[in-house]
Amino acid sequence: MFNKLLNKIEPSASMAIAKRAKEMRQSGIDLVDLSIGEPDFSMPENVKQAVILALEENKTKYTQSQGIFDLRQAIALDIARKSQAQYSPDQIIVSPGAKQAILMALMTLLNPGEEVLTFEPCWHSYKAMIYLALGEYKAFPVFERNAMAKNK
Protein backbone atom coordinates (compact mmCIF):
# COMPACT_ATOMS: atom_id res chain seq x y z
CA MET A 1 0.00 0.00 0.00
CA PHE A 2 2.88 2.41 0.77
CA ASN A 3 5.83 3.28 -1.44
CA LYS A 4 8.55 0.62 -1.07
CA LEU A 5 11.15 3.35 -0.67
CA LEU A 6 9.83 3.89 2.85
CA ASN A 7 11.39 0.56 3.83
CA LYS A 8 14.82 2.15 3.29
CA ILE A 9 14.08 5.09 5.58
CA GLU A 10 15.23 4.66 9.16
CA PRO A 11 13.61 6.41 12.13
CA SER A 12 15.14 9.80 12.88
CA ALA A 13 18.14 9.34 15.13
CA SER A 14 18.19 13.06 15.91
CA MET A 15 14.59 12.98 17.18
CA ALA A 16 15.43 9.97 19.37
CA ILE A 17 18.45 11.83 20.77
CA ALA A 18 16.33 14.97 21.31
CA LYS A 19 13.77 12.91 23.24
CA ARG A 20 16.53 11.41 25.40
CA ALA A 21 18.08 14.84 25.99
CA LYS A 22 14.69 16.18 27.12
CA GLU A 23 14.29 13.24 29.52
CA MET A 24 17.79 13.81 30.90
CA ARG A 25 17.16 17.53 31.34
CA GLN A 26 13.86 16.81 33.12
CA SER A 27 15.72 14.49 35.51
CA GLY A 28 18.05 17.35 36.45
CA ILE A 29 21.02 16.67 34.21
CA ASP A 30 22.62 19.83 32.81
CA LEU A 31 23.50 19.25 29.16
CA VAL A 32 23.97 20.87 25.79
CA ASP A 33 21.54 19.38 23.27
CA LEU A 34 23.02 19.30 19.75
CA SER A 35 20.51 16.78 18.43
CA ILE A 36 18.14 18.59 16.09
CA GLY A 37 19.90 21.87 15.43
CA GLU A 38 17.46 24.19 17.18
CA PRO A 39 18.98 27.29 18.72
CA ASP A 40 18.87 27.62 22.50
CA PHE A 41 17.58 31.19 22.27
CA SER A 42 14.24 32.73 21.40
CA MET A 43 13.44 34.30 18.08
CA PRO A 44 14.91 37.84 17.94
CA GLU A 45 12.37 40.55 18.75
CA ASN A 46 12.72 42.27 15.35
CA VAL A 47 11.90 38.98 13.60
CA LYS A 48 8.85 38.45 15.82
CA GLN A 49 7.65 41.96 14.99
CA ALA A 50 8.18 41.38 11.27
CA VAL A 51 6.09 38.19 11.48
CA ILE A 52 3.32 40.02 13.34
CA LEU A 53 3.36 42.83 10.77
CA ALA A 54 3.21 40.35 7.89
CA LEU A 55 0.19 38.66 9.50
CA GLU A 56 -1.52 42.02 10.09
CA GLU A 57 -0.94 42.90 6.41
CA ASN A 58 -2.47 39.54 5.38
CA LYS A 59 0.77 38.33 3.82
CA THR A 60 -0.37 34.75 4.31
CA LYS A 61 -0.72 33.53 0.74
CA TYR A 62 1.54 31.36 -1.37
CA THR A 63 4.45 33.09 -3.02
CA GLN A 64 6.44 32.23 -6.11
CA SER A 65 7.96 28.78 -5.67
CA GLN A 66 11.50 30.19 -5.63
CA GLY A 67 10.58 32.66 -2.86
CA ILE A 68 9.36 36.22 -2.47
CA PHE A 69 11.01 38.44 -5.09
CA ASP A 70 11.85 41.25 -2.64
CA LEU A 71 13.56 38.75 -0.33
CA ARG A 72 15.58 37.26 -3.19
CA GLN A 73 16.54 40.78 -4.28
CA ALA A 74 17.65 41.64 -0.72
CA ILE A 75 19.71 38.41 -0.60
CA ALA A 76 21.38 39.30 -3.91
CA LEU A 77 22.28 42.75 -2.58
CA ASP A 78 23.60 41.27 0.67
CA ILE A 79 25.77 38.77 -1.21
CA ALA A 80 27.15 41.58 -3.42
CA ARG A 81 27.90 43.73 -0.38
CA LYS A 82 29.66 40.94 1.51
CA SER A 83 31.51 39.12 -1.26
CA GLN A 84 31.45 41.28 -4.39
CA ALA A 85 29.70 38.41 -6.22
CA GLN A 86 26.84 39.47 -8.46
CA TYR A 87 23.61 37.45 -8.65
CA SER A 88 20.19 38.40 -9.89
CA PRO A 89 17.10 37.51 -7.84
CA ASP A 90 16.26 34.97 -10.55
CA GLN A 91 19.46 33.07 -9.63
CA ILE A 92 18.41 32.76 -5.99
CA ILE A 93 16.00 30.26 -4.45
CA VAL A 94 14.70 30.58 -0.91
CA SER A 95 13.86 27.31 0.81
CA PRO A 96 12.41 26.53 4.23
CA GLY A 97 15.76 25.07 5.30
CA ALA A 98 19.02 23.48 4.21
CA LYS A 99 17.69 19.91 4.29
CA GLN A 100 14.82 20.86 2.03
CA ALA A 101 17.21 22.60 -0.36
CA ILE A 102 19.47 19.54 -0.46
CA LEU A 103 16.49 17.25 -1.10
CA MET A 104 15.29 19.52 -3.93
CA ALA A 105 18.78 19.48 -5.46
CA LEU A 106 18.96 15.68 -5.23
CA MET A 107 15.49 15.29 -6.75
CA THR A 108 16.54 17.63 -9.57
CA LEU A 109 19.94 16.14 -10.33
CA LEU A 110 19.70 12.40 -9.70
CA ASN A 111 18.51 9.79 -12.13
CA PRO A 112 17.27 6.47 -10.70
CA GLY A 113 20.16 4.31 -9.53
CA GLU A 114 22.86 6.97 -9.70
CA GLU A 115 25.32 6.84 -6.84
CA VAL A 116 25.92 9.65 -4.39
CA LEU A 117 29.24 9.55 -2.56
CA THR A 118 28.74 10.98 0.92
CA PHE A 119 31.37 11.68 3.52
CA GLU A 120 30.84 9.92 6.84
CA PRO A 121 30.15 10.87 9.46
CA CYS A 122 27.41 13.04 8.01
CA TRP A 123 23.93 14.21 8.85
CA HIS A 124 21.94 11.00 8.90
CA SER A 125 19.07 12.50 6.85
CA TYR A 126 21.26 12.54 3.74
CA LYS A 127 20.94 8.79 3.30
CA ALA A 128 17.13 8.93 3.39
CA MET A 129 17.04 11.91 1.02
CA ILE A 130 19.24 10.09 -1.50
CA TYR A 131 16.95 7.06 -1.38
CA LEU A 132 13.86 9.24 -1.80
CA ALA A 133 15.49 10.78 -4.88
CA LEU A 134 15.96 7.20 -6.21
CA GLY A 135 19.72 7.41 -5.81
CA GLU A 136 22.13 4.94 -4.25
CA TYR A 137 23.95 5.99 -1.09
CA LYS A 138 27.69 5.31 -0.98
CA ALA A 139 29.65 6.18 2.13
CA PHE A 140 33.17 7.58 2.16
CA PRO A 141 34.63 7.53 5.69
CA VAL A 142 36.70 10.59 6.49
CA PHE A 143 38.43 9.27 9.57
CA GLU A 144 41.53 7.20 8.87
CA ARG A 145 40.61 4.49 11.36
CA ASN A 146 37.25 4.00 9.59
CA ALA A 147 38.84 4.02 6.16
CA MET A 148 41.46 1.49 7.27
CA ALA A 149 38.80 -0.82 8.73
CA LYS A 150 36.63 -0.68 5.61
CA ASN A 151 39.54 -1.25 3.23
CA LYS A 152 40.82 -4.39 5.00
Side-chain angles (χ1 to χ4, degrees):
M1 181 164 157
F2 292 107
N3 188 318
K4 292 177 184 175
L5 288 175
L6 293 177
N7 295 327
K8 289 187 167 189
I9 308 302
E10 300 169 0
S12 171
S14 58
M15 293 307 289
I17 294 168
K19 180 181 175 194
R20 179 69 178 124
K22 183 178 179 182
E23 292 166 354
M24 292 171 71
R25 189 174 286 116
Q26 288 173 339
S27 72
I29 298 172
D30 185 26
L31 59 90
V32 176
D33 179 3
L34 301 176
S35 61
I36 57 177
E38 283 185 331
D40 61 353
F41 54 87
S42 297
M43 182 182 292
E45 194 58 37
N46 65 322
V47 175
K48 289 180 189 177
Q49 294 306 313
V51 169
I52 291 168
L53 180 61
L55 290 170
E56 289 172 348
E57 293 178 353
N58 291 315
K59 293 182 178 176
T60 58
K61 306 295 182 195
Y62 285 111
T63 66
Q64 298 171 329
S65 60
Q66 66 266 41
I68 298 168
F69 179 82
D70 291 345
L71 175 58
R72 292 183 289 120
Q73 190 170 40
I75 292 169
L77 291 171
D78 189 58
I79 291 170
R81 183 177 55 81
K82 290 179 179 175
S83 70
Q84 310 305 312
Q86 300 294 318
Y87 295 97
S88 74
D90 291 335
Q91 294 174 295
I92 295 171
I93 296 175
V94 177
S95 75
K99 287 196 323 186
Q100 290 80 3
I102 293 168
L103 178 60
M104 286 188 288
L106 290 167
M107 300 288 285
T108 301
L109 298 172
L110 286 181
N111 290 301
E114 288 185 331
E115 294 181 354
V116 178
L117 182 62
T118 306
F119 295 113
E120 281 192 347
C122 69
W123 192 251
H124 50 270
S125 299
Y126 295 164
K127 189 175 189 178
M129 291 189 286
I130 291 165
Y131 288 143
L132 288 173
L134 302 178
E136 292 298 322
Y137 177 88
K138 297 293 178 187
F140 180 81
V142 294
F143 294 116
E144 186 175 336
R145 67 181 184 275
N146 293 344
M148 302 281 278
K150 286 191 175 194
N151 289 327
K152 286 186 177 181

